[in-house]
Each structure stands twice: as structure tokens, then as C-alpha cells.
């Protein structure tokens, strides 16, 4: 069987590329060993956001009185919350399958193995392809913590499936996954402790906003041990876990019913014949790609988490589009200038572009403009008792270098700043855009005025 494009991996990158290539008139085969949608849809972005929405609804019901609404007997049923999550995932998986089939993509369920730059085998069949698009994603990193192999430990996968909230939870890694699960289990009444090696949670996002987010969760009862290393883990007789830790001011012990480890992900580069392509790799072992996502083999492209550049589903989708455009002979190039990051805590935190600390490290001149989110009337109307913060970083050319938001719905409004950045708008050009009133997005105009 011969195709113009063979796509390996059916996550957001893979299915986007497959549909785009098929719509461009190419013959496409897509290999997926599990369920289309990848980690994002089956055990990542979508299921977590579904759980977090239930938690947010619970928080809102508990706070309904602040808005003049009486709600009695508020409770959470984790079994039903999980059932709804499964329903959402099933619905979206079916949607992707029908989109692939409508576009005429040949979907092969099974583990693909690369034999060479034009040859893939799967289930005893051989498939030839003019172009290979590799998007096998990433897998959870398990750190070498002493005693980790002796304790019962959750990764995000088990945390996502849990049908009864533990009394107490120790989360190792205060990154994106750690903070989103801290938020979820805190809403459900679990006593959460986050152990983070760095000096602040969510390294990579604006440190001032992260500190405010952390303070907010600390007030809700989450304990944070930042600048802290786990030195030993051991099982307790009641099935829980005991952790020894050390930090600058000394050592300590922590006991919890459950342990969740989330210290990052790494590209999946082994077990599927990637070595047969002899691709050029970075010092860290990531596949080197050019701005069209082409590897050192001209007909082989690597997109999404696999190339290790950005490790976000939305980046993967755009990379997939660029790679397919390149196969079709178009002059499109990937831009990483304005890729938003969002953490779906409650409140959400989001950022795009540079942070102050990155600018300072590089010695780039900038001015920081910031306002509490309460300068947006809509924010005040809908976020009783919340303050939030919006920060814009402006370069010497009067263009946006970075935008950072703490407050709902940061995930939705950050795109406004990303568009201004990607389009290279000056502050004056951005201010001339008319924003609907009242919207939370108007905060950007307020900050600039
Ligand atoms: P991460 O890189 O976001 O965070 C890992 C955290 O663990 C970091 O803060 C790091 O300093 C800390 N850490 C590392 N080793 C440690 C140790 N031994 N002890 C204590 N802390 C330690 O990784 P993640 O949270 O596991 O998420 C994995 C990937 O999934 C990321 O690439 C992320 O972008 C993606 N993801 C994205 C979203 C989103 O966009 N909302 C949600 C979930 C996951």
C-alpha cells in the first residue's frame, strides 16, 4: 500500500495533520495504537478540564450566597463526575473518528514501526509513504526519588481515574499538572501539600502572579513546600506514604494517604523504529527540526511533544498545519513568538511571550504596566471578592513583549494579547481596537491607557 503521507500518532498533531493533508488532496494513512485524540483527549487536557469544571461548579455553588443565591446541601459525587468525564471524552473521540473518515483518512489501529524513511509496518502489513509525519507525543517522567519504587504512587493517569477523594494528598512537582490537581482535590476537601523543587510554583510563568496564586491556595488550606527536595519515600502500615524532605531551613517529614508525582514529560523516542531514520538530535536527545518541522531526513517531519520544543497541544496543532503546508510545497513557517500558556486552576493563570525574569536575564529593556483585574467592570460583576492581576511587558519599540493574567477567564482573554503579539501591533495600534463592553478582556485596554 502506498500513500503520500503516513502519520504516526493520532493525538492533536496527528489527527490535525491527517485531516489537513487529506483535505489538500493527499492520500493519508494514520496509525494510532490506542484511541485517537492522544494524551490530550484521553488522559490529559480534556479529562482534566472536565474534572476541573465540576470542581469549579462546586466552588461556585459553595459561594453562591455571595451572589444572592441560596443553595443548600452542596456536595460532590466523584463517581458521577468521573462518568461525565468519560462521556465527554467518548463524544470527542467519536467526533475525531468521524472527521478523519469524512476527510478520507485511512485509520489503522495498531503499533506502527518505522523501517526506513518511506516504509512503515503495522500488524504484519507494509505501508510505503512519500512523507512521514511523526507525532508520537510524550510520556511521564518518573524522577529517581529514593524509595519511590516501594510506595504506591499516582501519576496524572491514576489521579484522573480516582473515584473517591483521598483525605490527604502529597503532590511532588508544583508545575502545571501539580497545580491543576492541587486545585481539583482542594475543592473536593482533600488536604493537599505541594512539594516543589524550584523557589516558586509554575516555573516559567510570571513569578509575581504565581506567588499570588499560591497565596490564594494557601488561604484555602493547601500547604506549599517550595525550594524543597524529597530525600526519601516509604510506605506506611495504613497504606499511606511518608516522605522525608529537605530545604534550606532544615529537614522535615510529611505523611499522606496518596502520593502524586508529576515532574514533567519527555518525548517518546523509543520502541517504534525511530533509530532506523538516523535523525539528527540535540544534545538532550530531541529531534532537530527546521521552521517547517522537517527533520534531517527531508521527507520526515516531527511535530508536537515529540520534538520537545513547546510540549503543548495547541503548539502541536499549529506545527502539524505548518508541516502539511510544507509537504504541499507552501512557504509556511512555524512561529513560536506568541504561544500562550494556561493553567486551569481557579482562578486561572495564563501568560504569553516573555516573563520579567527572562527579560532581565537577557538584559532586554522593557517597562511593566499592571493593574488589578478589578479595573474590569465585568470581572468585578462575576468574581466577588477576587482581585487578580494583569501585567503587560512593553519593549522599547512600544510593542508587547509579554502578557500575564491571573483571574478568570485568563484562558480565554490571553488570546487577545497573543494576537497582538503575533501581529506585532504597537501599543497605540492595539488600543485602537474596539473591545466589546463589558468584557474581562477590556483589562488590556485599561492597563495600556
Ligand atoms: P511541568 O514541567 O509543568 O512541571 C514539573 C514541575 O516539577 C516543575 O515545577 C519542576 O520544578 C518540578 N520538579 C521537577 N523535579 C522535581 C522533584 N524531584 N521534586 C519536586 N519538584 C520537582 O510538568 P508537569 O506538571 O508534569 O506537566 C507535564 C507536561 O504536560 C508539561 O509539558 C505541561 O506543559 C503539560 N501540561 C499542560 C497543561 C496545560 O497546558 N494546562 C496541563 C497539564 C499538563
Amino acid at each position: 500500500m502506498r500513500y503520500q503521507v503516513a502519520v504516526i500518532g493520532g493525538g492533536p498533531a496527528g489527527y490535525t495533520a491527517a485531516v489537513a493533508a487529506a483535505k489538500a488532496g493527499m492520500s493519508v494513512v494514520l496509525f494510532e495504537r490506542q484511541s485517537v485524540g492522544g494524551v490530550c483527549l484521553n488522559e490529559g487536557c480534556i479529562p482534566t478540564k472536565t474534572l476541573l469544571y465540576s470542581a469549579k461548579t462546586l466552588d461556585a455553588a459553595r459561594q453562591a450566597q455571595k451572589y444572592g443565591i441560596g443553595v443548600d446541601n452542596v456536595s460532590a459525587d466523584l463517581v458521577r463526575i468521573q462518568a461525565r468525564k468519560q462521556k465527554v471524552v467518548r463524544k470527542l473521540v467519536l467526533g475525531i473518528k468521524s472527521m478523519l473518515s469524512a476527510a478520507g483518512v485511512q485509520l489503522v489501529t495498531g503499533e506502527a514501526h518505522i523501517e526506513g524513511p518511506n516504509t512503515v509496518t503495522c500488524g504484519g502489513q507494509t505501508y510505503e509513504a512519500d512523507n512521514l509525519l511523526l507525532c508520537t507525543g510524550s510520556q511521564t517522567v518518573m524522577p529517581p526519588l529514593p524509595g519511590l519504587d516501594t510506595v504506591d504512587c499516582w501519576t496524572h493517569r491514576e489521579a484522573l481515574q480516582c473515584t473517591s477523594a483521598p483525605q490527604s494528598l502529597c503532590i511532588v512537582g508544583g508545575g502545571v499538572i501539580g497545580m491543576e490537581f492541587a486545585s481539583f482535590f482542594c475543592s473536593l476537601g482533600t488536604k493537599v501539600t505541594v512539594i516543589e523543587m524550584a523557589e516558586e510554583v509554575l516555573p516559567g510563568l510570571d513569578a509575581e502572579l504565581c506567588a499570588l496564586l499560591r497565596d490564594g491556595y494557601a488561604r484555602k488550606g493547601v500547604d506549599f513546600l517550595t525550594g524543597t527536595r524529597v530525600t526519601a519515600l516509604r510506605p506506611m502500615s495504613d497504606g499511606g506514604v511518608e516522605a522525608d524532605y529537605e530545604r534550606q531551613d532544615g529537614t522535615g517529614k510529611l505523611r499522606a494517604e496518596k502520593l502524586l508525582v508529576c515532574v514533567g514529560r519527555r518525548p517518546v523516542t523509543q520502541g517504534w523504529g525511530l533509530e532506523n531514520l538516523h535523525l539528527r538530535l540535540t544534545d538532550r536527545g530531541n529531534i532537530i527540526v527546521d521552521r517547517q518541522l522537517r527533520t534531517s531526513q527531508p521527507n520526515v517531519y516531527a511535530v508536537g511533544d515529540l520534538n520537545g520544543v513547546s510540549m503543548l497541544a495547541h503548539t502541536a496543532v499549529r506545527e502539524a498545519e505548518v508541516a502539511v503546508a510544507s509537504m504541499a510545497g507552501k512557504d509556511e513557517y512555524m512561529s513560536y513568538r506568541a504561544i500562550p500558556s494556561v493553567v486551569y486552576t481557579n482562578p486561572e493563570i495564563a501568560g504569553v511571550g516573555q516573563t520579567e525574569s527572562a527579560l532581565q536575564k537577557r538584559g532586554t529593556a522593557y517597562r511593566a504596566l499592571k493593574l488589578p483585574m478589578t479595573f474590569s467592570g465585568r470581572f468585578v460583576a462575576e468574581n466577588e471578592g477576587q482581585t487578580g492581576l494583569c501585567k503587560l511587558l512593553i519593549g522599547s519599540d512600544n510593542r508587547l513583549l509579554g502578557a500575564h493574567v491571573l483571574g478568570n477567564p485568563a484562558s480565554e482573554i490571553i488570546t487577545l494579547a497573543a494576537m497582538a503579539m503575533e501581529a506585532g501591533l504597537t501599543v497605540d495600534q492595539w488600543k485602537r481596537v474596539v473591545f466589546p463592553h463589558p468584557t474581562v478582556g477590556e483589562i488590556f485596554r485599561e492597563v495600556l491607557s
Side-chain angles (χ1 to χ4, degrees):
M1 282 167 278
R2 186 156 193 106
Y3 294 85
Q4 281 161 296
V5 188
V7 181
I8 304 183
Y15 69 73
T16 301
V19 170
K23 284 189 174 166
M26 297 182 231
S27 54
V28 184
V29 58
L30 168 64
F31 300 96
E32 169 54 55
R33 62 179 173 184
Q34 289 166 336
S35 174
V36 289
V39 168
C40 170
L41 175 47
N42 294 285
E43 53 176 67
C45 320
I46 298 295
T48 37
K49 265 75 267 178
T50 312
L51 294 186
L52 284 165
Y53 190 73
S54 289
K56 201 173 178 183
T57 306
L58 178 64
D59 292 344
R62 283 183 181 137
Q63 292 175 20
Q65 284 194 9
K66 288 186 185 172
Y67 299 86
I69 309 291
V71 179
D72 296 325
N73 302 324
V74 178
S75 65
D77 179 341
L78 200 40
V79 173
R80 285 173 59 202
I81 291 173
Q82 289 288 7
R84 176 172 178 269
K85 180 200 79 181
Q86 286 311 115
K87 192 179 74 177
V88 169
V89 170
R90 262 198 314 272
K91 180 176 178 171
L92 294 173
V93 168
L94 283 175
I96 291 169
K97 279 188 179 159
S98 61
M99 191 170 70
L100 289 166
S101 138
V105 173
Q106 168 83 46
L107 175 61
V108 177
T109 304
E111 189 130 1
H113 194 268
I114 295 174
E115 309 299 335
N118 297 99
T119 312
V120 176
T121 53
C122 185
Q125 299 270 3
T126 300
Y127 299 81
E128 298 291 334
D130 300 338
N131 295 290
L132 286 189
L133 199 132
L134 315 178
C135 28
T136 51
S138 60
Q139 63 196 10
T140 300
V141 169
M142 291 309 276
L145 301 177
L148 183 59
D149 53 344
T150 67
V151 299
D152 185 20
C153 155
W154 277 353
T155 64
H156 75 282
R157 196 173 283 157
E158 291 76 27
L160 261 180
Q161 306 294 345
C162 106
T163 48
S164 91
Q167 292 283 318
S168 53
L169 173 67
C170 169
I171 301 180
V172 177
V176 189
I177 294 180
M179 287 304 290
E180 290 186 352
F181 276 114
S183 178
F184 178 68
F185 284 106
C186 169
S187 295
L188 291 184
T190 297
K191 175 68 198 169
V192 178
T193 304
V194 177
I195 300 184
E196 166 57 50
M197 203 164 64
E199 291 306 318
E200 187 52 88
V201 294
L202 298 169
L205 289 182
D206 181 275
E208 184 182 7
L209 270 63
C210 290
L212 290 172
L213 179 76
R214 177 173 47 73
D215 279 350
Y217 274 102
R219 280 196 298 276
K220 291 181 199 169
V222 177
D223 287 339
F224 290 94
L225 295 166
T226 52
T228 302
R229 270 182 356 100
V230 173
T231 51
L233 290 165
R234 66 188 71 85
M236 293 194 304
S237 54
D238 62 3
V241 178
E242 185 174 69
D244 294 347
Y245 62 82
E246 69 178 20
R247 45 191 298 159
Q248 229 173 13
D249 58 4
T251 59
K253 268 189 204 317
L254 174 75
R255 290 176 166 193
E257 185 183 330
K258 287 284 174 201
L259 172 75
L260 166 62
V261 175
C262 40
V263 300
R265 295 179 64 87
R266 73 161 73 93
V268 179
T269 53
Q270 274 163 15
W272 49 288
L274 184 65
E275 59 285 356
N276 294 332
L277 294 173
H278 308 290
L279 302 180
R280 280 188 59 215
L281 304 177
T282 64
D283 294 343
R284 298 185 61 201
N286 290 336
I287 299 172
I288 295 178
V289 288
D290 65 13
R291 289 182 55 218
Q292 293 186 301
L293 287 307
R294 209 187 281 265
T295 66
S296 51
Q297 283 275 5
N299 70 319
V300 179
Y301 296 77
V303 304
D305 283 11
L306 176 64
N307 67 34
V309 176
S310 157
M311 310 275 276
L312 291 166
H314 42 281
T315 307
V317 165
R318 180 63 196 138
E319 288 179 339
E321 290 167 353
V322 171
V324 170
S326 165
M327 288 174 201
K330 292 188 192 153
D331 263 352
E332 253 181 62
Y333 298 92
M334 184 64 199
S335 165
Y336 296 98
R337 186 161 49 161
I339 295 195
S341 295
V342 177
V343 187
Y344 296 81
T345 42
N346 188 17
E348 296 171 348
I349 181 169
V352 63
Q354 306 290 317
T355 59
E356 283 197 78
S357 62
L359 292 170
Q360 285 162 6
K361 218 176 270 171
R362 271 191 218 133
T364 307
Y366 71 95
R367 61 185 203 281
L369 307 174
K370 53 187 174 180
L371 279 181
M373 295 294 285
T374 45
F375 275 68
S376 150
R378 177 77 180 275
F379 182 85
V380 174
E382 296 185 356
N383 295 273
E384 187 62 41
Q386 299 278 318
T387 313
L389 189 66
C390 176
K391 181 190 284 188
L392 298 180
L393 306 173
I394 313 293
S396 46
D397 61 356
N398 224 20
R399 288 185 164 82
L400 195 56
L401 291 170
H404 303 277
V405 178
L406 172 66
N408 292 335
S411 59
E412 297 294 340
I413 69 170
I414 199 67
T415 319
L416 299 170
M419 287 170 77
M421 271 188 81
E422 187 59 44
L425 299 188
T426 62
V427 164
D428 293 330
Q429 286 169 328
W430 197 18
K431 275 164 64 179
R432 277 184 226 126
V433 175
V434 177
F435 286 53
H437 177 76
T439 52
V440 180
E442 285 174 292
I443 190 66
F444 293 128
R445 282 175 60 90
E446 294 294 332
V447 174
L448 294 174
S449 59

